Coordinates of all heavy atoms in Angstrom, one line a residue:
I370 N 35.3 0.3 62.3 CA 36.0 0.2 61.0 C 36.5 1.6 60.6 O 37.7 1.7 60.1 CB 35.1 -0.4 59.9 CG1 34.7 -1.8 60.3 CG2 35.7 -0.4 58.5 CD1 33.6 -2.4 59.4
L371 N 35.7 2.6 60.7 CA 36.1 4.0 60.4 C 37.3 4.4 61.3 O 38.2 5.2 60.8 CB 35.0 4.9 60.6 CG 33.8 4.8 59.6 CD1 32.7 5.8 60.0 CD2 34.2 4.9 58.2
D372 N 37.3 3.9 62.5 CA 38.4 4.3 63.4 C 39.8 3.8 63.0 O 40.8 4.2 63.6 CB 38.1 3.8 64.9 CG 36.9 4.6 65.5 OD1 36.6 5.7 65.0 OD2 36.4 4.2 66.5
T373 N 39.8 2.9 62.1 CA 41.1 2.4 61.6 C 41.8 3.4 60.7 O 42.9 3.3 60.3 CB 40.9 1.1 60.7 OG1 40.2 1.4 59.6 CG2 40.3 0.0 61.6
G374 N 41.1 4.5 60.4 CA 41.6 5.6 59.5 C 40.9 5.6 58.2 O 41.2 6.5 57.3
L375 N 40.0 4.7 57.9 CA 39.2 4.7 56.6 C 38.2 5.9 56.7 O 37.7 6.3 57.7 CB 38.5 3.4 56.4 CG 39.3 2.2 56.2 CD1 38.5 1.0 55.9 CD2 40.3 2.4 55.0
R376 N 37.9 6.4 55.5 CA 36.9 7.5 55.3 C 35.8 7.0 54.4 O 36.1 6.3 53.4 CB 37.7 8.7 54.8 CG 38.9 9.1 55.6 CD 39.6 10.3 55.1 NE 40.8 10.6 55.9 CZ 41.5 11.7 55.7 NH1 41.2 12.5 54.6 NH2 42.5 12.0 56.5
D377 N 34.6 7.5 54.7 CA 33.5 7.2 53.9 C 33.5 8.2 52.7 O 33.5 9.4 53.0 CB 32.2 7.3 54.7 CG 31.0 6.6 54.0 OD1 30.9 6.7 52.8 OD2 30.2 6.0 54.7
A378 N 33.4 7.7 51.5 CA 33.4 8.6 50.3 C 32.2 9.6 50.4 O 32.3 10.7 50.0 CB 33.4 7.8 49.0
S379 N 31.1 9.1 50.9 CA 29.9 10.0 51.1 C 30.2 11.1 52.0 O 29.8 12.2 51.8 CB 28.7 9.1 51.5 OG 28.3 8.2 50.5
R380 N 30.9 10.8 53.1 CA 31.3 11.8 54.1 C 32.3 12.8 53.4 O 32.1 14.0 53.7 CB 32.0 11.1 55.2 CG 32.7 12.0 56.3 CD 31.7 12.6 57.2 NE 32.3 13.2 58.4 CZ 32.6 14.5 58.4 NH1 32.3 15.3 57.4 NH2 33.2 15.0 59.5
L381 N 33.2 12.3 52.6 CA 34.2 13.2 52.0 C 33.5 14.2 51.0 O 34.0 15.3 50.8 CB 35.3 12.4 51.3 CG 36.2 11.6 52.2 CD1 37.1 10.8 51.4 CD2 36.9 12.5 53.2
D382 N 32.4 13.7 50.4 CA 31.8 14.5 49.3 C 30.5 15.1 49.7 O 29.7 15.5 48.8 CB 31.7 13.6 48.1 CG 31.5 14.4 46.8 OD1 32.1 15.5 46.7 OD2 30.8 13.9 45.9
G383 N 30.1 15.1 51.0 CA 28.9 15.7 51.4 C 27.6 15.0 51.1 O 26.5 15.6 51.2
A384 N 27.7 13.7 50.9 CA 26.5 12.9 50.6 C 26.2 11.9 51.8 O 25.5 11.0 51.6 CB 26.7 12.1 49.3
D385 N 26.8 12.2 53.0 CA 26.5 11.4 54.1 C 25.0 11.5 54.5 O 24.4 12.5 54.2 CB 27.4 11.8 55.3 CG 27.3 13.3 55.6 OD1 28.0 14.0 54.8 OD2 26.6 13.7 56.5
R386 N 24.5 10.5 55.2 CA 23.1 10.4 55.6 C 22.2 10.4 54.4 O 21.0 10.7 54.5 CB 22.8 11.6 56.5 CG 23.5 11.6 57.8 CD 22.9 10.5 58.8 NE 23.5 10.6 60.1 CZ 23.3 9.7 61.0 NH1 22.6 8.6 60.7 NH2 23.8 9.8 62.2
T387 N 22.6 9.9 53.3 CA 21.8 9.7 52.1 C 21.4 8.2 52.1 O 22.2 7.3 51.9 CB 22.5 10.0 50.8 OG1 22.9 11.4 50.9 CG2 21.5 9.9 49.6
A388 N 20.1 8.0 52.3 CA 19.6 6.6 52.4 C 19.9 5.7 51.2 O 19.7 6.2 50.1 CB 18.1 6.6 52.8
T389 N 20.3 4.5 51.5 CA 20.5 3.5 50.4 C 19.6 2.3 50.5 O 19.5 1.5 49.5 CB 22.0 3.0 50.4 OG1 22.3 2.4 51.6 CG2 23.0 4.2 50.2
W390 N 19.0 2.2 51.7 CA 18.0 1.0 51.9 C 17.0 1.4 52.9 O 17.3 2.2 53.8 CB 18.8 -0.2 52.4 CG 18.0 -1.3 52.8 CD1 17.7 -2.4 52.0 CD2 17.4 -1.6 54.0 NE1 16.9 -3.3 52.6 CE2 16.7 -2.8 53.9 CE3 17.3 -1.0 55.3 CZ2 15.9 -3.4 54.9 CZ3 16.6 -1.5 56.3 CH2 15.9 -2.7 56.1
P391 N 15.7 1.0 52.7 CA 15.2 0.2 51.6 C 14.9 1.2 50.4 O 14.4 2.3 50.6 CB 13.9 -0.4 52.1 CG 13.5 0.5 53.2 CD 14.7 1.1 53.8
A392 N 15.2 0.7 49.2 CA 15.1 1.6 48.0 C 13.6 2.1 47.8 O 13.4 3.2 47.3 CB 15.6 0.9 46.8
R393 N 12.7 1.3 48.2 CA 11.3 1.7 48.0 C 10.9 2.9 48.7 O 10.1 3.7 48.1 CB 10.3 0.5 48.4 CG 8.9 0.8 48.2 CD 8.0 -0.4 48.5 NE 8.3 -1.5 47.5 CZ 7.7 -2.7 47.6 NH1 6.8 -3.0 48.5 NH2 8.0 -3.6 46.7
T394 N 11.4 3.2 49.8 CA 11.1 4.4 50.6 C 12.2 5.5 50.6 O 11.9 6.6 51.0 CB 10.7 4.1 52.0 OG1 11.8 3.4 52.7 CG2 9.4 3.2 52.0
A395 N 13.4 5.1 50.2 CA 14.5 6.0 50.2 C 14.3 7.0 49.0 O 13.7 6.6 48.0 CB 15.8 5.3 50.0
P396 N 14.8 8.2 49.1 CA 15.5 8.8 50.2 C 14.7 9.4 51.3 O 15.2 9.9 52.3 CB 16.3 9.9 49.5 CG 15.4 10.4 48.4 CD 14.7 9.1 47.9
T397 N 13.4 9.4 51.2 CA 12.5 10.0 52.2 C 12.7 9.3 53.5 O 12.8 9.9 54.6 CB 11.0 10.0 51.8 OG1 10.9 10.6 50.5 CG2 10.2 10.7 52.8
L398 N 12.6 7.9 53.5 CA 12.7 7.1 54.7 C 13.7 6.0 54.4 O 13.4 5.2 53.5 CB 11.3 6.6 55.1 CG 11.3 5.6 56.3 CD1 11.8 6.3 57.6 CD2 9.9 5.0 56.5
G399 N 14.7 5.9 55.2 CA 15.7 4.8 55.0 C 17.0 5.1 55.7 O 17.1 6.1 56.5
V400 N 18.0 4.2 55.5 CA 19.3 4.3 56.2 C 20.4 4.1 55.2 O 20.2 3.5 54.1 CB 19.4 3.3 57.3 CG1 18.4 3.6 58.4 CG2 19.3 1.9 56.8
Q401 N 21.5 4.6 55.5 CA 22.7 4.5 54.6 C 23.5 3.3 55.1 O 24.3 3.5 56.1 CB 23.5 5.8 54.7 CG 24.6 5.9 53.6 CD 25.3 7.2 53.5 OE1 25.6 7.8 54.6 NE2 25.6 7.7 52.4
I402 N 23.4 2.2 54.5 CA 24.2 1.0 54.9 C 25.1 0.5 53.8 O 25.9 -0.4 54.0 CB 23.2 -0.1 55.3 CG1 22.3 -0.6 54.2 CG2 22.4 0.2 56.6 CD1 21.4 -1.8 54.5
D403 N 25.0 1.1 52.6 CA 25.9 0.8 51.5 C 27.0 1.9 51.4 O 26.6 3.1 51.3 CB 25.2 0.7 50.2 CG 24.1 -0.3 50.2 OD1 23.0 0.0 50.6 OD2 24.4 -1.5 49.8
H404 N 28.2 1.5 51.5 CA 29.3 2.5 51.6 C 30.5 2.2 50.7 O 30.7 1.0 50.4 CB 29.8 2.5 53.0 CG 28.8 2.7 54.1 ND1 28.4 3.9 54.5 CD2 28.1 1.8 54.8 CE1 27.4 3.7 55.5 NE2 27.3 2.4 55.7
V405 N 31.2 3.2 50.3 CA 32.6 3.1 49.7 C 33.5 3.7 50.7 O 33.5 4.9 50.9 CB 32.7 3.7 48.4 CG1 34.1 3.7 47.8 CG2 31.7 3.1 47.4
L406 N 34.3 2.9 51.4 CA 35.3 3.4 52.4 C 36.7 3.3 51.7 O 37.0 2.4 51.0 CB 35.3 2.5 53.6 CG 34.0 2.3 54.4 CD1 34.2 1.5 55.7 CD2 33.3 3.6 54.6
V407 N 37.5 4.4 52.0 CA 38.8 4.5 51.4 C 39.8 4.9 52.4 O 39.5 5.5 53.4 CB 38.8 5.5 50.2 CG1 37.9 5.0 49.1 CG2 38.4 6.9 50.7
S408 N 41.1 4.5 52.2 CA 42.1 4.9 53.0 C 42.4 6.4 52.8 O 42.0 7.0 51.8 CB 43.4 4.0 52.8 OG 43.8 4.1 51.4
E409 N 43.2 6.9 53.7 CA 43.5 8.4 53.6 C 44.3 8.8 52.4 O 44.6 9.9 52.1 CB 44.2 8.9 54.9 CG 45.5 8.2 55.2 CD 46.1 8.6 56.5 OE1 45.3 9.2 57.3 OE2 47.2 8.3 56.8
D410 N 44.7 7.8 51.5 CA 45.4 8.1 50.3 C 44.5 8.6 49.2 O 45.0 9.1 48.2 CB 46.1 6.8 49.7 CG 46.8 6.0 50.8 OD1 46.2 5.1 51.4 OD2 48.0 6.2 50.9
F411 N 43.2 8.6 49.5 CA 42.2 8.9 48.4 C 41.5 10.2 48.8 O 41.1 10.5 49.9 CB 41.2 7.8 48.2 CG 41.7 6.5 47.6 CD1 42.1 5.5 48.4 CD2 41.8 6.5 46.2 CE1 42.6 4.3 47.8 CE2 42.3 5.3 45.6 CZ 42.7 4.2 46.4
G412 N 41.2 10.9 47.7 CA 40.1 11.9 47.7 C 38.9 11.4 47.0 O 39.0 10.5 46.2
A413 N 37.8 12.0 47.3 CA 36.5 11.6 46.6 C 35.7 12.8 46.1 O 35.7 13.8 46.7 CB 35.7 10.8 47.6
S414 N 35.1 12.6 45.0 CA 34.3 13.6 44.4 C 33.1 13.0 43.6 O 33.2 11.8 43.3 CB 35.1 14.5 43.5 OG 35.6 13.8 42.4
R415 N 32.1 13.7 43.4 CA 30.9 13.3 42.6 C 30.4 12.0 43.1 O 30.0 11.1 42.3 CB 31.3 13.2 41.1 CG 31.7 14.5 40.4 CD 31.7 14.3 38.9 NE 30.4 14.1 38.4 CZ 30.0 13.1 37.6 NH1 30.8 12.2 37.3 NH2 28.8 13.0 37.2
T416 N 30.2 11.9 44.4 CA 29.6 10.7 45.0 C 28.1 10.8 44.8 O 27.5 11.8 45.2 CB 29.9 10.6 46.5 OG1 31.4 10.5 46.7 CG2 29.3 9.4 47.1
R417 N 27.5 9.8 44.2 CA 26.1 9.8 43.9 C 25.4 8.5 44.4 O 26.0 7.5 44.4 CB 25.8 10.0 42.4 CG 26.2 11.4 41.9 CD 26.5 11.4 40.4 NE 27.8 10.8 40.2 CZ 28.0 10.0 39.1 NH1 27.0 9.8 38.2 NH2 29.2 9.5 38.9
I418 N 24.2 8.6 44.8 CA 23.3 7.5 45.2 C 22.3 7.3 44.1 O 21.5 8.2 43.8 CB 22.6 7.7 46.5 CG1 23.6 8.3 47.6 CG2 22.0 6.5 47.0 CD1 24.8 7.4 47.9
L419 N 22.4 6.1 43.4 CA 21.6 5.8 42.2 C 20.5 4.8 42.5 O 20.6 3.8 43.2 CB 22.5 5.3 41.1 CG 23.7 6.1 40.8 CD1 24.6 5.4 39.7 CD2 23.4 7.5 40.3
D420 N 19.3 5.1 41.9 CA 18.2 4.1 42.0 C 18.3 3.1 40.9 O 18.6 3.4 39.7 CB 16.9 4.9 41.8 CG 16.6 5.8 43.0 OD1 16.7 5.3 44.1 OD2 16.2 7.0 42.7
L421 N 18.2 1.8 41.3 CA 18.2 0.7 40.3 C 16.8 0.0 40.4 O 16.3 -0.2 41.6 CB 19.3 -0.3 40.6 CG 20.7 0.0 39.9 CD1 21.3 1.3 40.4 CD2 21.6 -1.2 40.1
A422 N 16.3 -0.5 39.3 CA 15.1 -1.3 39.3 C 15.3 -2.7 39.9 O 16.4 -3.2 39.8 CB 14.5 -1.3 37.9
D423 N 14.3 -3.2 40.5 CA 14.3 -4.6 40.9 C 15.2 -5.0 42.0 O 15.6 -6.2 42.2 CB 14.5 -5.6 39.7 CG 13.5 -5.3 38.6 OD1 12.3 -5.1 38.9 OD2 13.9 -5.3 37.4
T424 N 15.7 -4.0 42.8 CA 16.5 -4.3 44.0 C 16.1 -3.4 45.1 O 15.6 -2.3 44.9 CB 18.0 -4.2 43.7 OG1 18.7 -4.4 44.9 CG2 18.3 -2.8 43.1
D425 N 16.3 -3.9 46.4 CA 15.9 -3.1 47.5 C 17.0 -2.2 48.0 O 16.9 -1.5 49.0 CB 15.4 -4.0 48.7 CG 16.5 -5.0 49.1 OD1 17.5 -5.2 48.4 OD2 16.3 -5.6 50.2
H426 N 18.1 -2.1 47.3 CA 19.2 -1.2 47.6 C 19.5 -0.2 46.5 O 19.3 -0.5 45.3 CB 20.5 -2.0 47.8 CG 20.6 -2.8 49.1 ND1 21.4 -2.4 50.1 CD2 20.0 -3.9 49.5 CE1 21.2 -3.3 51.1 NE2 20.4 -4.2 50.7
R427 N 19.9 1.0 46.9 CA 20.4 1.9 45.9 C 21.9 1.7 45.7 O 22.6 1.3 46.7 CB 20.0 3.3 46.3 CG 18.6 3.5 46.6 CD 18.3 4.9 47.3 NE 18.2 6.0 46.3 CZ 18.4 7.2 46.6 NH1 18.7 7.6 47.9 NH2 18.3 8.2 45.7
A428 N 22.4 2.1 44.6 CA 23.8 1.9 44.3 C 24.6 3.2 44.7 O 24.0 4.3 44.8 CB 24.0 1.6 42.8

Side-chain angles (χ1 to χ4, degrees):
I370 297 175
L371 293 178
D372 289 343
T373 65
L375 294 183
R376 305 176 180 188
D377 196 322
S379 294
R380 170 83 168 93
L381 294 176
D382 198 32
D385 51 280
R386 294 287 188 189
T387 303
T389 62
W390 177 89
R393 179 172 295 181
T394 58
T397 304
L398 174 63
V400 296
Q401 191 175 42
I402 61 174
D403 300 87
H404 309 271
V405 176
L406 306 185
V407 296
S408 57
E409 59 186 11
D410 313 88
F411 289 98
S414 62
R415 296 192 69 235
T416 300
R417 287 156 289 143
I418 312 298
L419 307 177
D420 292 311
L421 271 67
D423 303 318
T424 174
D425 58 347
H426 285 254
R427 305 170 81 200

